[in-house]
Amino acid sequence: MGSLSLLVFFAQFLIASSLVEFQGNELQHKQAGLHFNIYHGQELHSSFMSKSSFFSDMLAKDEERVKALYSKLAGDVFMSTTPNASEGREKVVGIPLKSGLPIGTGNYYVKVGLGTPVKYYTMVVDTGSSLSWLQCQPCVVSCHPQIDPLFNPSNSKTYKKISCLNPLCSSLKDSTLNDPICETSSKTCVYRASYGDSSYSIGYLSQDTLALSQSQTLPGFVYGCGQENEGLFGRTAGMIGLAHDKLSMLAQLSTKYGYVFSYCLPTSFSASASTSTGGFLSIGNSSLATSSYKFTPMMKDSKNPSLYYLNLATITVAGKPLGVAASSYKVPTIIDSGTVITRLPVSLYTALKEAFVKIMSKKYAQVEGYSILDTCFKGSAKNMLVVPEIQMNFPGGANLLLKANNVLLETEKGITCLAFAGSSDNPIAIIGNFQQQRFNVAYDISNSRIGFAAGGCN
Ligand SMILES: *[C@@H]1O[C@H](CO)[C@@H](O)[C@H](O)[C@H]1NC(C)=O
Ligand SMILES: *[C@@H]1O[C@H](CO)[C@@H](O)[C@H](O)[C@H]1NC(C)=O
């Protein structure tokens, strides 16, 4: 089965499941902030398909995202390397588009309401993307299949298009890397968002009322109404951008709620999916109240101010610090919701792997690597009882104490791999979502700090 048919296959289950899961009160109003349930699509995925082909596809896409992050961090503007994709876009818009990050497949979703009367839409959440958009009627060229009915702007009495003269239109360059287009007849602003995995959305920059809970709304929410969309978005209606950028949903909510969000990502494809409980995305100052976070400073990078940076202090394996120089940790480090596997600079990764293997190999035979994961063992993750804990420590006392479910990925039956990878030629680190699962992670932008709290999703 090719990846497309797998996605269609998967999407059918997502539909079936979403009918159950998405009923009821999706958006709960918690104090002065906003609380959304968050889901991982692949949780449904893995039980119905060849686990091995799913993981190889997922890890290949993860590497595409990481490569795009590398070039962003190096100060390059990332362009899609898929020739067919850019050909397709050139045909449509006349000039090649600059791409944002590939969306990958290790994604998380929320359900948000839009329009008057309100309708609800399943949207990918991404801390690496800025502009939010969803597929809109009429689909002039194409729309990808989605679970929810297509948004129809003419049925919403609060919908309006944004003019080219509006400064919001010129903000698009920073958010999408592409210049806006001004539709000459109507003087309306057209956005072009394109991603490194050859997916894209083109349409009108628009405003409508965003429904945040039964009682709370944000009038004039700025987003893209996509009439031409192409991509494998796993049957979602579009995406919600949580990057540090003027047009992101976060920035738009910040005046009212505070420039803060937190999430707890539920377990995805771990061996013990039965332990999985719901995760959340929480926006606003009150999202810090739910857990006792330990914080580390949020760093800034003027080349890529929309990404979230922090510093790594030390890593321990089974309580023992890696035998590396302190300078090994001094690399640009970002935390990302859309990268699955944590990447470390090679010197750190090698030391981590050696310390890990030293303990694991006493009990489990090492086997050939799998895709980007080069440290694999014979045995089922759920039967591995002596897995050394890996702790990532950050300046200021924040840490992630990673147990087996954040460390081991069973890529195929009886083969379990260390879910870390080296960032080959690039001395950078990315904290991926597999390592973040079931921790509460807080992005307190107004106080420039990132927080972690264990035992999350409660
Ligand atoms: C482009 O697409 C065609 C068919 O659509 C395919 O045969 C070809 O291998 C693709 N090229 C690349 C470089 O992906
Ligand atoms: C949120 O908290 C920050 C400081 O932590 C404060 O400056 C801001 O006014 C607060 N915003 C709201 C909407 O409560």
Side-chain angles (χ1 to χ4, degrees):
M1 241 191 310
S3 60
L4 181 61
S5 51
L6 288 179
L7 274 160
V8 172
F9 189 56
F10 147 64
Q12 287 161 351
F13 290 103
L14 184 60
I15 296 171
S17 148
S18 62
L19 290 176
V20 181
E21 289 193 334
F22 290 155
Q23 267 169 9
N25 188 6
E26 276 301 320
L27 312 170
Q28 303 148 29
H29 183 195
K30 267 206 173 173
Q31 296 159 32
L34 305 160
H35 205 71
F36 303 82
N37 293 332
I38 198 164
Y39 305 92
H40 190 282
Q42 261 65 39
E43 194 162 29
L44 313 155
H45 215 155
S46 47
S47 46
F48 297 110
M49 64 191 301
S50 147
K51 216 173 168 182
S52 181
S53 59
F54 163 67
F55 279 122
S56 61
D57 186 54
M58 186 270 284
L59 293 172
K61 294 216 165 87
D62 202 42
E63 190 64 3
E64 274 182 46
R65 181 169 177 108
V66 167
K67 287 209 175 104
L69 280 167
Y70 290 159
S71 40
K72 269 195 135 191
L73 264 56
D76 305 338
V77 173
F78 181 74
M79 301 271 297
S80 170
T81 50
T82 315
N84 278 358
S86 50
E87 274 165 33
R89 283 198 294 272
E90 273 174 69
K91 224 166 35 203
V92 172
V93 298
I95 48 166
L97 291 182
K98 292 186 179 106
S99 294
L101 299 173
I103 316 240
T105 49
N107 279 315
Y108 287 89
Y109 308 96
V110 293
K111 194 94 167 163
V112 296
L114 191 70
T116 313
V118 63
K119 299 260 170 56
Y120 288 87
Y121 302 93
T122 309
M123 313 273 270
V124 174
V125 178
D126 187 9
T127 58
S129 300
S130 300
L131 182 71
S132 304
W133 58 265
L134 87 175
Q135 304 198 100
C136 273
Q137 283 187 32
C139 289
V140 175
V141 181
S142 64
C143 282
H144 59 264
Q146 67 175 49
I147 299 161
D148 314 296
L150 275 174
F151 179 71
N152 187 346
S154 58
N155 289 347
S156 171
K157 53 178 202 263
T158 41
Y159 174 85
K160 65 174 200 249
K161 288 177 183 168
I162 289 176
S163 146
C164 312
L165 304 172
N166 190 317
L168 289 166
C169 188
S170 19
S171 300
L172 276 174
K173 180 74 193 271
D174 285 340
S175 295
T176 62
L177 307 176
N178 295 304
D179 283 313
I181 295 176
C182 190
E183 198 177 71
T184 31
S185 52
S186 59
K187 292 270 181 291
T188 45
C189 178
V190 173
Y191 75 92
R192 299 170 301 161
S194 116
Y195 304 92
D197 47 11
S198 82
S199 37
Y200 63 88
S201 171
I202 299 169
Y204 294 106
L205 189 65
S206 306
Q207 285 184 297
D208 205 340
T209 300
L210 184 69
L212 300 164
S213 70
Q214 307 298 345
S215 56
Q216 297 223 333
T217 57
L218 178 77
F221 172 61
V222 180
Y223 67 99
C225 194
Q227 293 195 342
E228 186 193 331
N229 313 280
E230 189 71 53
L232 302 172
F233 294 104
R235 290 249 189 179
T236 53
M239 73 185 302
I240 288 290
L242 288 179
H244 190 186
D245 175 272
K246 216 193 305 184
L247 277 190
S248 86
M249 180 169 102
L250 185 68
Q252 295 185 52
L253 292 169
S254 64
T255 342
K256 192 162 173 197
Y257 299 98
Y259 214 153
V260 181
F261 71 101
S262 68
Y263 56 61
C264 182
L265 305 175
T267 308
S268 51
F269 19 70
S270 93
S272 47
S274 56
T275 62
S276 168
T277 56
F280 65 82
L281 167 68
S282 181
I283 294 177
N285 283 357
S286 68
S287 62
L288 298 178
T290 50
S291 292
S292 37
Y293 286 102
K294 282 189 191 153
F295 290 97
T296 188
M298 184 182 279
M299 309 312 287
K300 289 207 172 70
D301 183 308
S302 52
K303 275 189 295 217
N304 298 285
S306 71
L307 299 173
Y308 296 105
Y309 292 80
L310 69 180
N311 284 332
L312 194 51
T314 53
I315 297 177
T316 64
V317 175
K320 262 182 77 178
L322 301 180
V324 294
S327 60
S328 306
Y329 294 99
K330 297 209 164 30
V331 296
T333 304
I334 60 164
I335 179 162
D336 184 31
S337 72
T339 300
V340 180
I341 303 294
T342 291
R343 303 303 202 282
L344 295 172
V346 171
S347 62
L348 276 187
Y349 175 65
T350 307
L352 171 78
K353 171 172 81 175
E354 282 169 7
F356 192 78
V357 167
K358 203 167 158 192
I359 299 172
M360 287 293 281
S361 60
K362 287 183 192 148
K363 275 210 106 112
Y364 308 103
Q366 226 183 317
V367 295
E368 212 179 302
Y370 182 93
S371 177
I372 57 166
L373 308 177
D374 65 8
T375 302
C376 302
F377 303 89
K378 201 164 173 203
S380 199
K382 63 176 182 296
N383 297 328
M384 291 182 166
L385 301 175
V386 290
V387 181
E389 289 176 351
I390 295 179
Q391 182 160 319
M392 305 178 79
N393 299 302
F394 305 91
N399 67 66
L400 290 169
L401 177 57
L402 307 174
K403 304 195 176 178
N405 63 309
N406 293 110
V407 164
L408 292 178
L409 184 60
E410 188 166 347
T411 52
E412 48 193 303
K413 205 165 168 45
I415 303 292
T416 300
C417 303
L418 173 65
F420 281 79
S423 54
S424 40
D425 312 326
N426 301 276
I428 69 163
I430 303 166
I431 318 278
N433 68 32
F434 193 75
Q435 277 67 38
Q436 297 174 47
Q437 282 172 16
R438 305 200 51 74
F439 286 90
N440 288 0
V441 182
Y443 297 71
D444 182 0
I445 295 142
S446 52
N447 293 302
S448 284
R449 54 186 190 159
I450 290 173
F452 300 109
C457 296
N458 296 315

